[in-house]
Amino acid sequence: MKQEAIGIEQLLASLPKYYTDEDREIVKRAYELASIAHANQKRASGEPYINHCVAVAGILSDLYMSADAIAAGLLHDVVEDTDVTLQEIREKFGASTSSLVDGVTKLEALPRVSHNDQEDLEDDEAKLTEEQLSRRKKLLGQETLRKTMLAMNKDVRVIVIKLADRLHNMRTLSYTKPEKQRRIARETLEIYAPIANRIGIGEMKWELEDLSLYYLEQEKYKEIAAGLNERRAVRTQQMEKIKKRLAQSLADAGIQAEVSGRPKHIYSIYKKMIGKDRSFDQIMDVRGVRLLVEDKSVCYATLGIIHSQWRPIPGEFDDYIAAPKENMYQSLHTAVMYEDNKPLEVQIRTHEMHQHAERGIAAHWRYKEASKQRDEQYESFLSALRNQLDIKNEDMNADEFIETMKNDVFDEHVYVFTPKGDIIDLPKGSTPIDFAYHVHTDVGHRCRGAKINGKLEPLNYVLKTGDRVVILTTKQGGPSRDWLNPSIGLVKTQRARAKIRVWLKKQAREHNLAQGRQMLEREFHRLGLDEINLENLARQLEYRNPDDMFVALGCGDLSVSRIINLISDQKTPEDIIETSAPKSETASSDAVAVRGLRGLLTQMAKCCNPTPGDPIVGYITRGRGATIHRADCPNILRSSTNEKERLVRVAWGDAAKTYPVPIRITAFDRQGLMNDISNLLNNEGVNITDVNVRVNHDSLKADIANIRLIVEVRDLVQLSRVLNRMENLSNVLEAQRSKAG
Ligand code: MN
């Protein structure tokens, strides 16, 4: 290993000619920043850290990625490991490079799809055939790629940089501790290589697989490598003859073809030996050649010539030009009996198809400016990727494609990262508690706080795609009953709710009873409801007695809000405000305001069923107040003179009637408290008609703020929700309805 740093001249000299002077200038500046930032750091191998950055940049330039991506490759570790900030990268290299670095930094590793998917997969693996198994693995790879792209919300180049990083780490894995080697190799084989294949970078896939095999099955690897070595001389000679013979035959037919042997990859030999149970010699008997020709029509002409000279082996012909593989791989495959009576596999494709086979999506970058036709190729590649990821709209460019992928699923899901970098998908609106229960039931029970992207956030934080979530747990204890309170919005998923209920049910009856009673009393007190008949209430809810109702409350089978709803339905709004605020002019229980006859009991006529907005009239009935009819109701139009005297003019009341209620909030004073309160009310659509804030500075510990508000609520249910949410604002000690107006 080199102990000195690779210099900038060496890096620039290694860049393909394709890169312009302008490109080289960007690469040079990125190198300078990276080498200063990593100046004192070393790799496990003992060589300067910058050599890793240069190696990654080299892999990217072999793929002809753009200069800003190579710069990102050079800088891929600076944000995490040095003092350099994203801000600085943005200022010096622009938004594209900085967003690539940001993406690579956030995506610590290519994630596995959530633990649970993984578990499901492992469950019955034993029962599956090899074909089913590999199909599942493929789907998992596709799912990983899809979710990774969604979660990163960035372009696919982030993944290519991540792959380049991993490739160099694999190349230098021998310097790592043995137990770590196996873990990293397995991860590479299971996640990184399939993703490389998925985006069609064959070159990378092969190398990642071979390197992984070396660390996972070292004996097998060495055996195959030795076998290859032993046969190399004979084989090379043999292949040279075959290549010459083919080239001659084609030249005779007027076809220009580049003929090459196909490199044998150790992992693919290993797989054939294991999977098809063949010996090494049997596999080596199969020779393969690749013919690169000018265009598509020549591919088929070439095929014709090969088939006319040597006997095709039935069942071995595949036309991947007419029907490309899902990663856009195109080629003709056939096998013939060669003159030595051993099979010869032949692949025929154009140079461009070959570029795609080796570099996949990365092949585009080389050709970006070269020609329009090649851009069309890239578009068709993207459209294939779209298809395989099941995106419907064909007429999209790359940005729209990513955007659509987001919107498609983002309506329902968020994708967040575990501390290890695994991806978990949750329904939109999920909170840290939902996340905790998804990871593990026990983590859910013991969840007490959460760090989102390194910052402490409240438990009602709504998770966003791309968030990295760390759950802070207590050693023991269980979920709080508040978690089930929908007004507070701490739990979104049914799965978490169910687990919380199960836990609560396991608690002793007396405990649940006491908790339930306390919850309800507290809520009644808060809402200023004194005279509730608990016996009646329990009966209405179909419990034998109040105690049973309390137990149900305590274990989460019954919610406080259901009780408040019930009471709210029964109590007239006047009851709500009676004890608190003076009646306001607008307050009325009536859906219709009967002019001149305030407070008259009204009911809707069954004959014409008036709905708000219809012109209406009231008809005074004996003892029942007034019946409201549509003005054009036949019964009204036909009414006798006598009856007409009993008609009164009425009008619809305000659609959303509200009632003023005084509330009192006690809190440790803090900056922005009033602002949070008014935002909360604003979100609920609740008006404040009066505010009075007093801060008590005499308190020894902290300033206590006493806030009195008059708010306009629709009903008890809304009042209850608002008070609950207020109590969940940080620093708020108590929020309740005050008795004295
Ligand atoms: Mn790295």
Side-chain angles (χ1 to χ4, degrees), residues 280-556:
F280 182 69
D281 286 319
Q282 279 173 308
I283 292 163
M284 291 318 285
D285 276 348
V286 182
R287 286 81 36 96
V289 289
R290 181 176 295 143
L291 309 176
L292 301 185
V293 298
E294 201 45 49
D295 62 36
K296 199 157 86 176
S297 63
V298 182
C299 289
Y300 291 99
T302 306
L303 181 75
I305 298 197
I306 301 287
H307 278 181
S308 67
Q309 295 243 333
W310 296 285
R311 184 167 57 82
I313 301 172
E316 294 290 315
F317 174 66
D318 279 304
D319 184 351
Y320 294 117
I321 292 180
K325 285 192 186 179
E326 34 182 27
N327 64 7
M328 260 304 269
Y329 174 85
Q330 285 190 299
S331 195
L332 296 177
H333 286 191
T334 190
V336 294
M337 261 326 183
Y338 197 60
E339 35 232 50
D340 54 6
N341 262 327
K342 285 178 185 169
L344 175 69
E345 288 177 355
V346 184
Q347 296 180 348
I348 307 165
R349 55 177 88 145
T350 67
H351 293 275
E352 239 168 61
M353 290 171 189
H354 184 59
Q355 280 294 326
H356 274 279
E358 300 286 291
R359 277 123 196 231
I361 201 164
H364 159 70
W365 294 305
R366 176 175 195 179
Y367 295 129
K368 199 159 57 181
E369 282 121 40
S371 77
K372 198 163 186 300
Q373 193 214 341
R374 275 162 175 157
D375 237 352
E376 279 161 18
Q377 275 243 335
Y378 177 63
E379 286 306 323
S380 72
F381 182 86
L382 274 185
S383 108
L385 197 61
R386 274 197 286 273
N387 282 339
Q388 86 193 54
L389 298 176
D390 210 21
I391 308 292
K392 303 296 176 232
N393 189 351
E394 296 288 323
D395 314 311
M396 285 186 286
N397 62 32
D399 291 343
E400 286 169 343
F401 162 53
I402 303 284
E403 204 50 44
T404 309
M405 276 180 69
K406 286 192 309 196
N407 293 339
D408 251 20
V409 262
F410 278 19
D411 284 346
E412 302 141 41
H413 291 278
V414 290
Y415 294 85
V416 297
F417 293 101
T418 67
K420 279 192 200 153
D422 291 345
I423 290 182
I424 285 184
D425 70 302
L426 294 165
K428 199 171 190 166
S430 290
T431 64
I433 296 177
D434 292 305
F435 173 92
Y437 275 104
H438 188 99
V439 169
H440 195 280
T441 306
D442 192 47
V443 175
H445 291 338
R446 293 186 294 111
C447 170
R448 289 298 176 273
K451 271 191 176 172
I452 313 291
N453 304 323
K455 194 169 152 255
L456 212 57
E457 296 283 358
L459 285 175
N460 64 354
Y461 176 91
V462 176
L463 296 171
K464 293 191 299 294
T465 282
D467 280 347
R468 185 171 293 275
V469 187
V470 178
I471 296 297
L472 308 173
T473 56
T474 166
K475 282 222 175 68
Q476 43 192 316
S480 150
R481 283 169 176 80
D482 280 346
W483 292 5
L484 292 176
N485 184 340
S487 321
I488 308 177
L490 284 170
V491 180
K492 160 90 179 177
T493 58
Q494 282 312 312
R495 179 174 173 167
R497 285 185 175 280
K499 286 175 172 178
I500 295 166
R501 265 192 225 109
V502 167
W503 189 92
L504 292 172
K505 265 188 197 152
K506 282 189 191 150
Q507 308 308 301
R509 179 182 157 90
E510 305 80 72
H511 185 68
N512 279 325
L513 193 153
Q515 287 287 333
R517 181 197 299 272
Q518 196 192 340
M519 283 159 70
L520 194 61
E521 281 175 353
R522 197 168 141 239
E523 189 64 16
F524 283 171
H525 176 69
R526 180 151 60 188
L527 293 171
L529 300 170
D530 313 305
E531 290 156 14
I532 301 293
N533 183 327
L534 292 173
E535 293 285 344
N536 275 341
L537 194 59
R539 229 182 344 258
Q540 279 178 316
L541 290 162
E542 295 177 356
Y543 291 98
R544 277 176 308 169
N545 51 47
D547 278 5
D548 282 3
M549 178 176 72
F550 292 141
V551 171
L553 272 170
C555 71

